Short mmCIF file of all heavy atoms in Angstrom, two decimals:
data_model
loop_
_atom_site.label_atom_id
_atom_site.label_comp_id
_atom_site.label_asym_id
_atom_site.label_seq_id
_atom_site.Cartn_x
_atom_site.Cartn_y
_atom_site.Cartn_z
N THR A 91 1.69 44.43 -19.16
CA THR A 91 1.75 45.87 -19.08
C THR A 91 2.89 46.29 -19.85
O THR A 91 2.81 47.29 -20.66
CB THR A 91 1.72 46.30 -17.60
OG1 THR A 91 0.65 45.62 -16.87
CG2 THR A 91 1.43 47.86 -17.54
N CYS A 92 4.09 45.90 -19.51
CA CYS A 92 5.24 46.25 -20.27
C CYS A 92 5.26 46.03 -21.70
O CYS A 92 5.59 46.83 -22.52
CB CYS A 92 6.52 45.53 -19.67
SG CYS A 92 6.81 45.98 -17.90
N ASP A 93 4.69 44.92 -22.18
CA ASP A 93 4.66 44.56 -23.55
C ASP A 93 3.62 45.52 -24.24
O ASP A 93 3.92 45.92 -25.48
CB ASP A 93 4.08 43.15 -23.74
CG ASP A 93 5.21 42.17 -23.61
OD1 ASP A 93 6.33 42.56 -23.35
OD2 ASP A 93 4.93 40.89 -23.85
N VAL A 95 3.09 48.63 -23.60
CA VAL A 95 3.83 49.97 -23.78
C VAL A 95 4.85 49.85 -24.70
O VAL A 95 5.11 50.76 -25.53
CB VAL A 95 4.36 50.43 -22.32
CG1 VAL A 95 5.09 51.79 -22.50
CG2 VAL A 95 3.24 50.50 -21.37
N ALA A 96 5.55 48.72 -24.74
CA ALA A 96 6.69 48.31 -25.72
C ALA A 96 6.04 48.42 -27.20
O ALA A 96 6.58 49.06 -28.03
CB ALA A 96 7.34 47.10 -25.49
N ALA A 97 4.85 47.74 -27.26
CA ALA A 97 4.11 47.87 -28.50
C ALA A 97 3.82 49.25 -28.98
O ALA A 97 3.78 49.53 -30.19
CB ALA A 97 2.85 46.91 -28.49
N ILE A 99 5.37 51.98 -28.34
CA ILE A 99 6.68 52.61 -28.69
C ILE A 99 7.17 52.05 -30.10
O ILE A 99 7.53 52.84 -30.90
CB ILE A 99 7.79 52.58 -27.62
CG1 ILE A 99 7.31 53.30 -26.40
CG2 ILE A 99 9.06 53.21 -28.23
CD1 ILE A 99 8.18 53.12 -25.12
N ALA A 108 9.56 45.65 -29.83
CA ALA A 108 10.34 46.52 -28.94
C ALA A 108 10.36 45.80 -27.44
O ALA A 108 9.49 44.92 -27.19
CB ALA A 108 9.74 47.82 -28.71
N MET A 109 11.30 46.13 -26.71
CA MET A 109 11.35 45.69 -25.34
C MET A 109 11.65 46.81 -24.32
O MET A 109 12.52 47.71 -24.78
CB MET A 109 12.47 44.60 -25.19
CG MET A 109 13.78 45.17 -25.17
SD MET A 109 15.14 43.82 -25.29
CE MET A 109 14.89 42.94 -23.75
N LEU A 110 10.93 46.84 -23.25
CA LEU A 110 11.24 47.87 -22.26
C LEU A 110 12.48 47.38 -21.42
O LEU A 110 12.60 46.05 -21.19
CB LEU A 110 10.03 48.12 -21.41
CG LEU A 110 8.74 48.64 -22.06
CD1 LEU A 110 7.81 49.04 -20.92
CD2 LEU A 110 9.11 49.87 -22.90
N THR A 111 13.23 48.22 -20.86
CA THR A 111 14.34 47.97 -20.02
C THR A 111 14.17 48.80 -18.75
O THR A 111 13.45 49.81 -18.85
CB THR A 111 15.77 48.18 -20.71
OG1 THR A 111 15.75 49.59 -21.13
CG2 THR A 111 15.81 47.31 -21.92
N SER A 112 15.05 48.46 -17.67
CA SER A 112 14.86 49.26 -16.45
C SER A 112 15.38 50.73 -16.58
O SER A 112 15.01 51.56 -15.70
CB SER A 112 15.74 48.54 -15.35
OG SER A 112 17.04 48.27 -15.91
N SER A 113 16.30 50.97 -17.50
CA SER A 113 16.71 52.44 -17.81
C SER A 113 17.20 52.47 -19.17
O SER A 113 17.33 51.44 -19.89
CB SER A 113 17.96 52.64 -16.80
OG SER A 113 19.06 51.77 -17.22
N PHE A 120 22.03 46.63 -23.79
CA PHE A 120 21.35 45.49 -24.47
C PHE A 120 21.44 45.57 -26.09
O PHE A 120 21.67 44.48 -26.75
CB PHE A 120 19.86 45.34 -24.13
CG PHE A 120 19.64 44.61 -22.80
CD1 PHE A 120 20.75 44.48 -21.80
CD2 PHE A 120 18.49 44.08 -22.47
CE1 PHE A 120 20.47 43.85 -20.68
CE2 PHE A 120 18.29 43.46 -21.18
CZ PHE A 120 19.27 43.34 -20.31
N THR A 235 13.54 56.32 -21.66
CA THR A 235 12.23 56.74 -21.45
C THR A 235 11.99 57.69 -20.31
O THR A 235 10.91 58.27 -20.09
CB THR A 235 11.24 55.55 -21.42
OG1 THR A 235 11.49 54.75 -20.28
CG2 THR A 235 11.20 54.71 -22.66
N GLY A 248 13.82 52.47 -19.99
CA GLY A 248 14.53 52.44 -21.28
C GLY A 248 13.67 51.66 -22.34
O GLY A 248 12.81 50.94 -21.89
N CYS A 249 14.05 51.59 -23.51
CA CYS A 249 13.42 50.91 -24.50
C CYS A 249 14.35 50.63 -25.77
O CYS A 249 15.21 51.44 -26.00
CB CYS A 249 12.09 51.61 -25.01
SG CYS A 249 11.08 50.73 -26.22
N VAL A 250 14.31 49.41 -26.37
CA VAL A 250 15.02 49.12 -27.57
C VAL A 250 13.89 48.75 -28.55
O VAL A 250 13.05 47.91 -28.23
CB VAL A 250 15.90 47.89 -27.39
CG1 VAL A 250 16.68 47.61 -28.63
CG2 VAL A 250 16.70 47.96 -26.04
N MET A 298 17.73 39.51 -21.28
CA MET A 298 16.78 39.83 -20.15
C MET A 298 16.78 38.62 -19.20
O MET A 298 16.84 38.70 -18.03
CB MET A 298 15.38 40.15 -20.70
CG MET A 298 14.50 40.95 -19.77
SD MET A 298 15.38 42.56 -19.15
CE MET A 298 14.62 43.71 -20.08
N CYS A 303 17.51 43.20 -16.50
CA CYS A 303 17.30 44.65 -16.30
C CYS A 303 15.84 44.99 -16.78
O CYS A 303 15.68 45.78 -17.80
CB CYS A 303 18.32 45.53 -17.03
SG CYS A 303 19.99 44.98 -16.98
N CYS A 304 14.85 44.43 -16.21
CA CYS A 304 13.54 44.59 -16.65
C CYS A 304 12.78 45.88 -16.00
O CYS A 304 13.23 46.22 -15.00
CB CYS A 304 12.70 43.35 -16.28
SG CYS A 304 12.71 42.86 -14.65
N GLN A 305 11.93 46.32 -16.78
CA GLN A 305 11.12 47.53 -16.23
C GLN A 305 9.89 46.94 -15.45
O GLN A 305 9.38 45.82 -15.77
CB GLN A 305 10.50 48.27 -17.30
CG GLN A 305 9.88 49.66 -16.79
CD GLN A 305 9.73 50.77 -17.92
OE1 GLN A 305 8.75 51.30 -18.02
NE2 GLN A 305 10.79 50.97 -18.69
N SER A 306 9.57 47.64 -14.29
CA SER A 306 8.44 47.19 -13.43
C SER A 306 7.12 47.53 -14.22
O SER A 306 7.04 48.61 -14.87
CB SER A 306 8.48 47.85 -12.05
OG SER A 306 8.05 49.17 -12.23
N ASN A 309 6.07 51.12 -13.41
CA ASN A 309 6.71 52.19 -14.14
C ASN A 309 6.33 52.17 -15.58
O ASN A 309 6.26 53.29 -16.16
CB ASN A 309 8.33 51.97 -14.08
CG ASN A 309 8.89 52.47 -12.75
OD1 ASN A 309 8.17 52.95 -11.96
ND2 ASN A 309 10.13 52.26 -12.60
N ALA A 310 6.02 51.08 -16.15
CA ALA A 310 5.53 51.09 -17.61
C ALA A 310 4.14 51.70 -17.69
O ALA A 310 3.87 52.47 -18.53
CB ALA A 310 5.33 49.48 -17.96
N LEU A 313 4.87 55.48 -17.45
CA LEU A 313 5.49 55.75 -18.86
C LEU A 313 4.27 55.86 -19.92
O LEU A 313 4.33 56.83 -20.70
CB LEU A 313 6.47 54.69 -19.36
CG LEU A 313 7.03 54.71 -20.77
CD1 LEU A 313 7.62 56.09 -21.04
CD2 LEU A 313 7.99 53.58 -20.95
#
Side-chain angles (χ1 to χ4, degrees):
T91 307
C92 296
D93 278 4
V95 181
I99 297 172
M109 74 192 293
L110 296 188
T111 57
S112 53
S113 68
F120 277 21
T235 61
C249 186
V250 184
M298 205 51 105
C303 316
C304 53
Q305 188 162 133
S306 76
N309 280 0
L313 168 57

